[in-house]
Amino acid sequence: MRVWLVTTVASVCLMPGIALSQGAPAESAVQEPASAEKTTANGTGLEEIIVTAQRRVESSQRAAVAINVVDGAALLKAGVTQADRLNEQVPALSIQPTSTGNLIFIRGVGNFTLTQNSDPASAFNYDGVYVGRPTGTVGVFYDLERVEVLKGPQGTLYGRNATGGAINVIPVQPKPGDFSGHGSLSYGNYDALIAEAAVNIPMGDDGALRISGMRSKRDGYNRDGTSDEDIAALRVQLKARLTPNLTVRLAADHADLGGVGTSVGYDGHYVYNPLAGRYAFAPASVPASDGVLTPLAQAYRVTVNAGPAGRKLDPLAIAPYQNNRFYGANGLIEWTTPIGTLSVIPAWRYNKLDYLATSGAFGALQRETDEQYSLEARFAGNRVGSIDYTIGALYYHEDISADVALSTSASAAFSNARYVTESIAPFGRLTLHLNDRVRLVGGIRYTEDRKRFAGTSISGAIVCQLRVAGVPTCPNAPLFPVVETPAQFPFAFPAAGSPPVPLRVGGVPTGALLIRGDRSDDQRLTNRRVTYRGAVEFDLAPQSMLYASVETGYRSGGFSAATGFETYDPEFITAYTVGSKNRFFDNRVQLNIEGFWWEYKDQQVSSVRPDLAGRITNITQNIGQSRIRGIEVEARVLATPTTLISGDVQYLDSRNKSFTYVNQNSGVPPLTGCIATLDTAANRYNVDCAGKPGFNSPKWTLNIAAQQTIHVGGFDLVASADTQYRSSRYLGFLYLPEQRASGVWRSNAQLSFGPAKFRSDCIGSTALSFCFVAFSESADDSICLENALAGKCPCIRETKSNPSQRPCCR
């Protein structure tokens, strides 16, 4: 993995000369962006970041949940265009990018596979819509209001597949009556060029159209050109207040993901010594940063044995590419009634994937379509006496069709599969205000998932039968190239149902057998689960609170196209959390502390290994239980009105209480860093990884950042830097020493320049736009402009024509 050291960013913000801002409804008020400082009655203090993580509008400091929030300005300054860059902002989060999507772990709860038969363990929600496929989490990180990371199971408001937590990506909404826009351009090493722009066009006083887009292009981190970035994305939103009580917002988005795609580099390979009865690791003779396609990497590759084929590997003869398309459309209908507000969210998303990847240093060709549609309805009732409540329901439908061709040289696999999921989930949450300082919260959700899997697969294996000094030796045996169908192999492939046949080249025997296996699946599965939340909240002071909660989570079961592992059960988690959120010293210091203890049961883990028929395939299995506990401390200090210092530290203790699975005996012990015991009666190995730490669970994570704003006339120069440390952690299923990543520091630096008081993101209404409205009836516009640029715009809460006007200076 390459470590970024310094990135220099220059951003330019654009704002029209005149902007008219009208009173905004509650939904718009929710979406105000956060900044480093805020003008209040008490002076300059830390900004109150507004969140909707609990389906209600509240300050992040008043949300009694474990949450990290990254505002849109910080994402823009850091050049975040993909989900994996959130690692630098949130200590609890670990995201590994791949050519097919993002592997998301929250405090060690996640999954190592993006295959269609496995669901993610953390719910990814874009603009309030649950995105079922990890492949669909790209191309949305631009013109954002904020990103909310909820840590721990979200069993009531978010439901299925949220055992680890939830990531809410919230775009900036259209602002009725406001004509504004912003643009930014940044450049970094590896010829990284990121451009982002947005324009908000008023459509009368009660409507607006917002168009935003992003283009990101970067050379590959690896010397072979892989692990590059090539993204183009566009979002269009239309919002209108049809009546004083009815607001409708429609949105559509599209993203293209091109280039070569993410790849890997060689670290080394294992060699089994039959005399010693163990494996030995042989380090690679090529830097991992070469990737797998440089001449040096190819020269190393041909020195490695091709497993049971009894010969060395061939050079990797593929030209990786990705041509992935993502589409989405969603709406939000909000109707305010005398007893509460009804929100209805219809949504549709469609992914079309076409890529050839160097998956695990081998070739994987995949063509896949993912389509989902959903409908969620929520009713947030007005307080009745001492009770607040929210009730709702979600309907979700997903349809996946995938054709996959995979070659690992000595084996090949071709599959055609369709997965259909239908889910319904009613839910409710209630808050009881015992008094002005103490609240009790209870929530419940019922989820029913109905799944179907139908597909066929063909597998092939090349097994050498000749032995030289007891070692399989077939130097003339061919290997499987990457092709779309078995008919394209350069040698005859057996017909379905045929026994193993001798593999010949030009009619000459090679000493190897060619083995074909076929499988057909047509399965159905239904999972049902009730999850709940209970919490108590106590206000110590106006800006200090304590909270404690218990919440459960559930990830639905599914299928594996594997003999002996056809289905797997749901997994469950119970999380106990205590925390405190505080502001001190006239709102200039923020200190939040959270302690957590999670009990993880029937944990689902995916891996590539032989099934009970000896076929190499992807298997998802319930393999055990784990305990996850720790503490996180977050601090923010506004040292001066223009100097912001922040730090986050997390201590994480994740340990497998039980972790067992079986591995078919292929003649040699399984490659693992755990204890493997041969069951001679069943002819299989029992592997036990109890006591090992959880995956992607660094014991220590530390984030430190500083930001300094320098006023230059009517402009602001903002310099910021951050650094992050993650201690060692296991990144692979096998718990091999080489799969343990050492501790690493990652640092970034940015420099941005833009008009004063517009903030570097220039998102939403500014002091200038408020100023024109506030002074249009009483002062000359030129005076207002001078005052705005000098930062002297007075805070006027209302005008004669617009009594709902908010303060013009923030």
Side-chain angles (χ1 to χ4, degrees), residues 270 272 277-280 607-609 623 656 659-663 668-678 685-690 692 695 730 732-739:
Y270 281 88
Y272 181 68
R278 62 175 181 267
Y279 290 89
S607 62
V608 176
R609 65 182 195 271
I623 61 173
N656 296 330
F659 191 116
T660 59
Y661 62 94
V662 298
N663 210 99
V668 296
L671 178 62
T672 178
C674 305
I675 299 173
T677 305
L678 178 62
Y685 281 89
N686 297 316
V687 182
D688 189 351
C689 299
K692 296 285 188 180
F695 301 127
Y730 279 102
F733 167 77
L734 299 177
Y735 282 107
L736 299 171
E738 289 71 28
Q739 292 181 327

Side-chain angles (χ1 to χ4, degrees), residues 48 71 88 120 122 144 188 215 240 250 276 288 314 361 392 418 457 469 486 539 577 624 634 638 645 658 708 745 798:
E48 290 290 348
D71 69 87
E88 304 161 21
S122 297
L144 295 183
R215 183 74 171 94
L250 303 176
D314 286 333
R418 185 184 180 196
S457 62
D539 295 334
T577 306
E634 173 191 14
L638 194 63
I645 302 171
S658 65
Q708 179 64 52
W745 286 94
E798 61 182 42

Side-chain angles (χ1 to χ4, degrees), residues 58-65 437 439 536-548 579-583 591-593:
E58 60 187 341
S59 164
S60 63
Q61 285 298 105
R62 306 301 298 170
V65 292
R437 300 176 63 185
R439 298 169 296 280
V536 57
E537 306 170 4
F538 175 57
D539 295 334
L540 290 170
Q543 295 195 65
S544 294
M545 69 176 300
L546 290 172
Y547 64 93
S580 176
K581 296 186 176 184
N582 308 274
R583 288 279 181 91
L591 180 64
N592 297 338
I593 303 174

Side-chain angles (χ1 to χ4, degrees), residues 68 130 140 384 525 594 625 662 701 725 782:
N68 287 111
Y130 171 69
V140 299
V384 179
L525 183 67
E594 173 204 349
Q625 303 180 40
V662 298
T701 304
Y725 172 73
S782 62

Side-chain angles (χ1 to χ4, degrees), residues 472-743:
T473 306
C474 296
N476 297 321
L479 298 175
F480 288 115
V482 180
V483 294
E484 295 186 36
T485 68
Q488 296 173 322
F489 285 140
F491 45 82
F493 193 67
S498 298
V501 299
L503 182 56
R504 301 173 182 268
V505 175
V508 179
T510 63
L513 290 180
L514 184 55
I515 304 172
R516 171 172 175 160
D518 292 78
R519 180 183 174 86
S520 179
D521 289 277
D522 189 355
Q523 304 180 60
R524 296 175 185 269
L525 183 67
T526 298
N527 295 141
R528 300 179 179 90
R529 185 66 175 181
V530 173
T531 51
Y532 63 87
R533 171 183 170 85
V536 57
E537 306 170 4
F538 175 57
D539 295 334
L540 290 170
Q543 295 195 65
S544 294
M545 69 176 300
L546 290 172
Y547 64 93
S549 67
V550 55
E551 186 154 9
T552 61
Y554 145 86
R555 178 159 56 144
S556 60
F559 313 98
S560 292
T563 302
F565 307 95
E566 286 78 6
T567 62
Y568 55 91
D569 295 327
E571 70 175 17
F572 311 101
I573 196 167
T574 302
Y576 304 91
T577 306
V578 294
S580 176
K581 296 186 176 184
N582 308 274
R583 288 279 181 91
F584 306 104
F585 302 109
D586 198 20
N587 211 36
R588 296 175 184 272
V589 176
Q590 175 177 304
L591 180 64
N592 297 338
I593 303 174
E594 173 204 349
F596 53 91
W597 186 299
W598 300 355
E599 293 291 340
Y600 199 3
K601 181 181 179 183
D602 294 331
Q603 181 178 352
Q604 298 170 9
V605 175
S606 298
S607 62
V608 176
R609 65 182 195 271
D611 65 8
L612 298 188
R615 298 171 63 251
I616 301 295
T617 186
N618 186 283
I619 299 173
T620 300
Q621 187 180 4
N622 305 94
I623 61 173
Q625 303 180 40
S626 60
R627 181 213 61 213
I628 303 167
R629 60 186 179 183
I631 188 169
E632 182 175 339
V633 180
E634 173 191 14
R636 303 283 183 270
V637 178
L638 194 63
T640 74
T642 59
T643 305
L644 176 65
I645 302 171
S646 60
D648 300 81
V649 60
Q650 175 184 266
Y651 169 77
L652 179 63
D653 178 20
S654 176
R655 192 69 52 180
N656 296 330
K657 296 169 66 176
S658 65
F659 191 116
T660 59
Y661 62 94
V662 298
N663 210 99
Q664 187 68 5
N665 184 12
S666 60
V668 296
L671 178 62
T672 178
C674 305
I675 299 173
T677 305
L678 178 62
D679 181 347
T680 55
N683 192 31
R684 65 187 64 166
Y685 281 89
N686 297 316
V687 182
D688 189 351
C689 299
K692 296 285 188 180
F695 301 127
N696 270 318
S697 301
K699 188 171 290 290
W700 291 100
T701 304
L702 173 67
N703 289 9
I704 301 175
Q707 176 180 299
Q708 179 64 52
T709 301
I710 303 172
H711 300 301
V712 183
F715 298 87
D716 280 347
L717 179 67
V718 181
S720 56
D722 62 84
T723 187
Q724 179 194 73
Y725 172 73
R726 286 180 185 265
S727 61
S728 61
R729 67 271 185 208
Y730 279 102
L731 301 179
F733 167 77
L734 299 177
Y735 282 107
L736 299 171
E738 289 71 28
Q739 292 181 327
R740 187 176 181 91
S742 58

Side-chain angles (χ1 to χ4, degrees), residues 369-544:
T369 58
D370 311 324
E371 184 173 26
Q372 68 168 70
Y373 50 87
S374 60
L375 179 65
E376 183 172 2
R378 298 192 304 269
F379 185 80
N382 296 334
R383 184 180 297 186
V384 179
S386 58
I387 296 176
D388 291 327
Y389 66 94
T390 298
I391 57 174
L394 170 69
Y395 172 78
Y396 174 83
H397 181 96
E398 179 183 61
D399 197 325
I400 304 171
S401 295
D403 293 302
V404 179
L406 172 67
S407 168
T408 61
S409 294
S411 64
F414 303 86
S415 65
N416 174 276
R418 185 184 180 196
Y419 297 86
V420 178
T421 298
E422 193 170 49
S423 179
I424 58 171
F427 59 88
R429 182 177 285 196
L430 180 147
T431 301
L432 174 63
H433 299 259
L434 297 181
N435 53 49
D436 291 341
R437 300 176 63 185
V438 182
R439 298 169 296 280
L440 300 179
V441 180
I444 192 169
R445 186 184 189 106
Y446 169 79
T447 303
E448 180 174 295
D449 292 320
R450 297 181 179 270
K451 292 187 173 186
R452 179 178 178 181
F453 163 47
T456 59
S457 62
I458 300 173
S459 63
I462 298 172
V463 180
C464 180
Q465 300 298 297
L466 298 180
R467 296 288 193 275
V468 176
V471 178
T473 306
C474 296
N476 297 321
L479 298 175
F480 288 115
V482 180
V483 294
E484 295 186 36
T485 68
Q488 296 173 322
F489 285 140
F491 45 82
F493 193 67
S498 298
V501 299
L503 182 56
R504 301 173 182 268
V505 175
V508 179
T510 63
L513 290 180
L514 184 55
I515 304 172
R516 171 172 175 160
D518 292 78
R519 180 183 174 86
S520 179
D521 289 277
D522 189 355
Q523 304 180 60
R524 296 175 185 269
L525 183 67
T526 298
N527 295 141
R528 300 179 179 90
R529 185 66 175 181
V530 173
T531 51
Y532 63 87
R533 171 183 170 85
V536 57
E537 306 170 4
F538 175 57
D539 295 334
L540 290 170
Q543 295 195 65
S544 294

